[in-house]
PDB file of all heavy atoms in Angstrom:
ATOM      1  N   LEU A  39      -4.302   4.262   9.504  1.00  0.00           N
ATOM      2  CA  LEU A  39      -3.898   4.707  10.838  1.00  0.00           C
ATOM      3  C   LEU A  39      -4.903   5.698  11.424  1.00  0.00           C
ATOM      4  O   LEU A  39      -5.167   5.679  12.639  1.00  0.00           O
ATOM      5  CB  LEU A  39      -2.507   5.334  10.778  1.00  0.00           C
ATOM      6  CG  LEU A  39      -1.363   4.357  10.468  1.00  0.00           C
ATOM      7  CD1 LEU A  39      -0.037   5.101  10.345  1.00  0.00           C
ATOM      8  CD2 LEU A  39      -1.275   3.281  11.549  1.00  0.00           C
ATOM      9  N   LYS A  40      -5.480   6.546  10.591  1.00  0.00           N
ATOM     10  CA  LYS A  40      -6.538   7.433  11.070  1.00  0.00           C
ATOM     11  C   LYS A  40      -7.736   6.626  11.533  1.00  0.00           C
ATOM     12  O   LYS A  40      -8.384   6.963  12.531  1.00  0.00           O
ATOM     13  CB  LYS A  40      -6.945   8.409   9.969  1.00  0.00           C
ATOM     14  CG  LYS A  40      -5.942   9.522   9.702  1.00  0.00           C
ATOM     15  CD  LYS A  40      -6.438  10.473   8.615  1.00  0.00           C
ATOM     16  CE  LYS A  40      -5.442  11.610   8.384  1.00  0.00           C
ATOM     17  NZ  LYS A  40      -5.900  12.537   7.304  1.00  0.00           N
ATOM     18  N   THR A  45     -11.036   4.418  15.958  1.00  0.00           N
ATOM     19  CA  THR A  45     -11.528   3.249  16.687  1.00  0.00           C
ATOM     20  C   THR A  45     -11.108   3.293  18.152  1.00  0.00           C
ATOM     21  O   THR A  45     -11.903   2.996  19.043  1.00  0.00           O
ATOM     22  CB  THR A  45     -11.018   1.954  16.025  1.00  0.00           C
ATOM     23  OG1 THR A  45     -11.631   1.814  14.745  1.00  0.00           O
ATOM     24  CG2 THR A  45     -11.353   0.732  16.867  1.00  0.00           C
ATOM     25  N   VAL A  50     -12.450   4.069  23.862  1.00  0.00           N
ATOM     26  CA  VAL A  50     -12.230   4.698  25.172  1.00  0.00           C
ATOM     27  C   VAL A  50     -13.487   5.408  25.652  1.00  0.00           C
ATOM     28  O   VAL A  50     -13.929   5.219  26.799  1.00  0.00           O
ATOM     29  CB  VAL A  50     -11.044   5.682  25.094  1.00  0.00           C
ATOM     30  CG1 VAL A  50     -10.947   6.508  26.379  1.00  0.00           C
ATOM     31  CG2 VAL A  50      -9.745   4.932  24.860  1.00  0.00           C
ATOM     32  N   VAL A  62     -23.603   2.121  37.962  1.00  0.00           N
ATOM     33  CA  VAL A  62     -24.824   2.752  38.459  1.00  0.00           C
ATOM     34  C   VAL A  62     -25.996   1.774  38.405  1.00  0.00           C
ATOM     35  O   VAL A  62     -26.717   1.567  39.393  1.00  0.00           O
ATOM     36  CB  VAL A  62     -25.147   4.034  37.660  1.00  0.00           C
ATOM     37  CG1 VAL A  62     -26.538   4.551  38.020  1.00  0.00           C
ATOM     38  CG2 VAL A  62     -24.108   5.109  37.945  1.00  0.00           C
ATOM     39  N   ALA A  66     -27.769  -0.367  41.404  1.00  0.00           N
ATOM     40  CA  ALA A  66     -29.211  -0.138  41.562  1.00  0.00           C
ATOM     41  C   ALA A  66     -29.984  -1.451  41.589  1.00  0.00           C
ATOM     42  O   ALA A  66     -31.024  -1.549  42.245  1.00  0.00           O
ATOM     43  CB  ALA A  66     -29.719   0.754  40.431  1.00  0.00           C
ATOM     44  N   HIS A  69     -30.442  -2.631  45.073  1.00  0.00           N
ATOM     45  CA  HIS A  69     -31.000  -1.655  45.992  1.00  0.00           C
ATOM     46  C   HIS A  69     -32.140  -2.264  46.807  1.00  0.00           C
ATOM     47  O   HIS A  69     -32.832  -3.181  46.359  1.00  0.00           O
ATOM     48  CB  HIS A  69     -31.509  -0.439  45.219  1.00  0.00           C
ATOM     49  CG  HIS A  69     -31.641   0.802  46.045  1.00  0.00           C
ATOM     50  ND1 HIS A  69     -32.763   1.076  46.802  1.00  0.00           N
ATOM     51  CD2 HIS A  69     -30.786   1.841  46.240  1.00  0.00           C
ATOM     52  CE1 HIS A  69     -32.599   2.236  47.423  1.00  0.00           C
ATOM     53  NE2 HIS A  69     -31.404   2.720  47.098  1.00  0.00           N
ATOM     54  N   GLY A  79     -33.574  -3.124  36.341  1.00  0.00           N
ATOM     55  CA  GLY A  79     -33.777  -4.367  35.608  1.00  0.00           C
ATOM     56  C   GLY A  79     -34.425  -4.126  34.254  1.00  0.00           C
ATOM     57  O   GLY A  79     -34.079  -4.777  33.258  1.00  0.00           O
ATOM     58  N   THR A  82     -31.811  -2.837  31.874  1.00  0.00           N
ATOM     59  CA  THR A  82     -30.908  -3.912  31.487  1.00  0.00           C
ATOM     60  C   THR A  82     -31.537  -4.810  30.433  1.00  0.00           C
ATOM     61  O   THR A  82     -30.902  -5.152  29.424  1.00  0.00           O
ATOM     62  CB  THR A  82     -30.513  -4.748  32.718  1.00  0.00           C
ATOM     63  OG1 THR A  82     -29.898  -3.891  33.692  1.00  0.00           O
ATOM     64  CG2 THR A  82     -29.530  -5.844  32.338  1.00  0.00           C
ATOM     65  N   PHE A 105     -36.027  15.143  18.266  1.00  0.00           N
ATOM     66  CA  PHE A 105     -35.661  16.159  19.249  1.00  0.00           C
ATOM     67  C   PHE A 105     -35.071  17.427  18.631  1.00  0.00           C
ATOM     68  O   PHE A 105     -34.755  18.373  19.344  1.00  0.00           O
ATOM     69  CB  PHE A 105     -34.675  15.575  20.263  1.00  0.00           C
ATOM     70  CG  PHE A 105     -35.272  14.490  21.108  1.00  0.00           C
ATOM     71  CD1 PHE A 105     -35.139  13.152  20.745  1.00  0.00           C
ATOM     72  CD2 PHE A 105     -35.973  14.785  22.262  1.00  0.00           C
ATOM     73  CE1 PHE A 105     -35.689  12.147  21.523  1.00  0.00           C
ATOM     74  CE2 PHE A 105     -36.528  13.792  23.048  1.00  0.00           C
ATOM     75  CZ  PHE A 105     -36.391  12.470  22.668  1.00  0.00           C
ATOM     76  N   VAL A 138     -20.230 -11.602  47.007  1.00  0.00           N
ATOM     77  CA  VAL A 138     -19.529 -11.301  48.261  1.00  0.00           C
ATOM     78  C   VAL A 138     -20.204 -12.064  49.399  1.00  0.00           C
ATOM     79  O   VAL A 138     -21.445 -12.126  49.486  1.00  0.00           O
ATOM     80  CB  VAL A 138     -19.540  -9.787  48.545  1.00  0.00           C
ATOM     81  CG1 VAL A 138     -18.897  -9.492  49.901  1.00  0.00           C
ATOM     82  CG2 VAL A 138     -18.805  -9.046  47.441  1.00  0.00           C
ATOM     83  N   VAL A 147     -23.089  -4.192  58.930  1.00  0.00           N
ATOM     84  CA  VAL A 147     -24.263  -3.766  59.704  1.00  0.00           C
ATOM     85  C   VAL A 147     -23.933  -3.731  61.194  1.00  0.00           C
ATOM     86  O   VAL A 147     -24.306  -2.785  61.904  1.00  0.00           O
ATOM     87  CB  VAL A 147     -25.451  -4.722  59.436  1.00  0.00           C
ATOM     88  CG1 VAL A 147     -26.627  -4.390  60.354  1.00  0.00           C
ATOM     89  CG2 VAL A 147     -25.886  -4.634  57.973  1.00  0.00           C
ATOM     90  N   THR A 152     -23.469   2.654  57.213  1.00  0.00           N
ATOM     91  CA  THR A 152     -24.624   2.932  56.374  1.00  0.00           C
ATOM     92  C   THR A 152     -24.517   2.078  55.107  1.00  0.00           C
ATOM     93  O   THR A 152     -23.441   1.540  54.800  1.00  0.00           O
ATOM     94  CB  THR A 152     -24.675   4.409  55.973  1.00  0.00           C
ATOM     95  OG1 THR A 152     -23.540   4.704  55.155  1.00  0.00           O
ATOM     96  CG2 THR A 152     -24.674   5.314  57.206  1.00  0.00           C
ATOM     97  N   SER A 174     -12.993  -7.738  31.165  1.00  0.00           N
ATOM     98  CA  SER A 174     -11.972  -7.849  30.121  1.00  0.00           C
ATOM     99  C   SER A 174     -12.585  -8.434  28.850  1.00  0.00           C
ATOM    100  O   SER A 174     -12.337  -7.942  27.745  1.00  0.00           O
ATOM    101  CB  SER A 174     -10.823  -8.736  30.608  1.00  0.00           C
ATOM    102  OG  SER A 174      -9.844  -8.888  29.603  1.00  0.00           O
ATOM    103  N   ASN A 175     -13.399  -9.477  29.009  1.00  0.00           N
ATOM    104  CA  ASN A 175     -14.083 -10.053  27.850  1.00  0.00           C
ATOM    105  C   ASN A 175     -15.036  -9.039  27.218  1.00  0.00           C
ATOM    106  O   ASN A 175     -15.144  -8.944  25.992  1.00  0.00           O
ATOM    107  CB  ASN A 175     -14.875 -11.297  28.265  1.00  0.00           C
ATOM    108  CG  ASN A 175     -13.975 -12.465  28.604  1.00  0.00           C
ATOM    109  OD1 ASN A 175     -12.860 -12.569  28.101  1.00  0.00           O
ATOM    110  ND2 ASN A 175     -14.448 -13.342  29.468  1.00  0.00           N
ATOM    111  N   ILE A 177     -14.893  -5.740  27.230  1.00  0.00           N
ATOM    112  CA  ILE A 177     -14.242  -4.635  26.521  1.00  0.00           C
ATOM    113  C   ILE A 177     -13.692  -5.108  25.176  1.00  0.00           C
ATOM    114  O   ILE A 177     -13.659  -4.332  24.199  1.00  0.00           O
ATOM    115  CB  ILE A 177     -13.127  -3.993  27.387  1.00  0.00           C
ATOM    116  CG1 ILE A 177     -12.790  -2.602  26.831  1.00  0.00           C
ATOM    117  CG2 ILE A 177     -11.882  -4.852  27.433  1.00  0.00           C
ATOM    118  CD1 ILE A 177     -11.897  -1.786  27.741  1.00  0.00           C
ATOM    119  N   MET A 192     -18.701   6.601   9.428  1.00  0.00           N
ATOM    120  CA  MET A 192     -17.658   7.073  10.337  1.00  0.00           C
ATOM    121  C   MET A 192     -16.344   6.389   9.970  1.00  0.00           C
ATOM    122  O   MET A 192     -16.309   5.176   9.733  1.00  0.00           O
ATOM    123  CB  MET A 192     -18.055   6.747  11.781  1.00  0.00           C
ATOM    124  CG  MET A 192     -17.116   7.300  12.816  1.00  0.00           C
ATOM    125  SD  MET A 192     -17.808   7.005  14.486  1.00  0.00           S
ATOM    126  CE  MET A 192     -16.405   7.491  15.474  1.00  0.00           C
ATOM    127  N   PHE A 197     -14.211   0.921   8.412  1.00  0.00           N
ATOM    128  CA  PHE A 197     -14.587   1.780   7.279  1.00  0.00           C
ATOM    129  C   PHE A 197     -13.363   2.133   6.448  1.00  0.00           C
ATOM    130  O   PHE A 197     -13.394   2.073   5.212  1.00  0.00           O
ATOM    131  CB  PHE A 197     -15.266   3.044   7.803  1.00  0.00           C
ATOM    132  CG  PHE A 197     -15.821   3.936   6.729  1.00  0.00           C
ATOM    133  CD1 PHE A 197     -17.065   3.681   6.176  1.00  0.00           C
ATOM    134  CD2 PHE A 197     -15.105   5.040   6.274  1.00  0.00           C
ATOM    135  CE1 PHE A 197     -17.582   4.499   5.176  1.00  0.00           C
ATOM    136  CE2 PHE A 197     -15.616   5.864   5.284  1.00  0.00           C
ATOM    137  CZ  PHE A 197     -16.864   5.590   4.734  1.00  0.00           C
ATOM    138  N   LEU A 201     -12.405   1.229   2.453  1.00  0.00           N
ATOM    139  CA  LEU A 201     -12.023   2.217   1.437  1.00  0.00           C
ATOM    140  C   LEU A 201     -10.724   1.815   0.740  1.00  0.00           C
ATOM    141  O   LEU A 201     -10.597   1.940  -0.490  1.00  0.00           O
ATOM    142  CB  LEU A 201     -11.862   3.597   2.073  1.00  0.00           C
ATOM    143  CG  LEU A 201     -13.131   4.300   2.564  1.00  0.00           C
ATOM    144  CD1 LEU A 201     -12.785   5.660   3.150  1.00  0.00           C
ATOM    145  CD2 LEU A 201     -14.149   4.448   1.436  1.00  0.00           C
ATOM    146  N   LEU A 218      -5.530  -8.317  11.898  1.00  0.00           N
ATOM    147  CA  LEU A 218      -4.344  -8.294  12.749  1.00  0.00           C
ATOM    148  C   LEU A 218      -4.335  -7.066  13.656  1.00  0.00           C
ATOM    149  O   LEU A 218      -3.947  -7.160  14.837  1.00  0.00           O
ATOM    150  CB  LEU A 218      -3.079  -8.322  11.887  1.00  0.00           C
ATOM    151  CG  LEU A 218      -2.772  -9.658  11.212  1.00  0.00           C
ATOM    152  CD1 LEU A 218      -1.581  -9.510  10.260  1.00  0.00           C
ATOM    153  CD2 LEU A 218      -2.496 -10.748  12.250  1.00  0.00           C
ATOM    154  N   THR A 228      -6.348  -7.018  26.890  1.00  0.00           N
ATOM    155  CA  THR A 228      -6.395  -8.126  27.844  1.00  0.00           C
ATOM    156  C   THR A 228      -5.177  -8.111  28.762  1.00  0.00           C
ATOM    157  O   THR A 228      -5.286  -8.441  29.948  1.00  0.00           O
ATOM    158  CB  THR A 228      -6.485  -9.474  27.116  1.00  0.00           C
ATOM    159  OG1 THR A 228      -5.399  -9.603  26.189  1.00  0.00           O
ATOM    160  CG2 THR A 228      -7.799  -9.594  26.356  1.00  0.00           C
ATOM    161  N   HIS A 236      -4.447  -8.382  38.785  1.00  0.00           N
ATOM    162  CA  HIS A 236      -3.412  -8.815  39.728  1.00  0.00           C
ATOM    163  C   HIS A 236      -3.114  -7.728  40.757  1.00  0.00           C
ATOM    164  O   HIS A 236      -2.927  -8.017  41.947  1.00  0.00           O
ATOM    165  CB  HIS A 236      -2.134  -9.180  38.969  1.00  0.00           C
ATOM    166  CG  HIS A 236      -2.274 -10.429  38.151  1.00  0.00           C
ATOM    167  ND1 HIS A 236      -1.411 -10.754  37.132  1.00  0.00           N
ATOM    168  CD2 HIS A 236      -3.194 -11.436  38.191  1.00  0.00           C
ATOM    169  CE1 HIS A 236      -1.777 -11.902  36.590  1.00  0.00           C
ATOM    170  NE2 HIS A 236      -2.863 -12.325  37.217  1.00  0.00           N
ATOM    171  N   LYS A 239      -6.061  -7.530  43.285  1.00  0.00           N
ATOM    172  CA  LYS A 239      -6.086  -8.681  44.183  1.00  0.00           C
ATOM    173  C   LYS A 239      -4.927  -8.629  45.169  1.00  0.00           C
ATOM    174  O   LYS A 239      -5.072  -9.013  46.332  1.00  0.00           O
ATOM    175  CB  LYS A 239      -6.062  -9.974  43.388  1.00  0.00           C
ATOM    176  CG  LYS A 239      -7.377 -10.270  42.693  1.00  0.00           C
ATOM    177  CD  LYS A 239      -7.385 -11.630  42.019  1.00  0.00           C
ATOM    178  CE  LYS A 239      -8.772 -11.935  41.451  1.00  0.00           C
ATOM    179  NZ  LYS A 239      -8.825 -13.252  40.788  1.00  0.00           N
TER     180      LYS A 239
END
Side-chain angles (χ1 to χ4, degrees):
L39 292 176
K40 286 181 178 179
T45 292
V50 171
V62 170
H69 201 275
T82 302
F105 294 94
V138 176
V147 173
T152 65
S174 178
N175 289 333
I177 198 170
M192 185 174 171
F197 186 83
L201 290 181
L218 288 174
T228 55
H236 291 162
K239 287 186 175 180

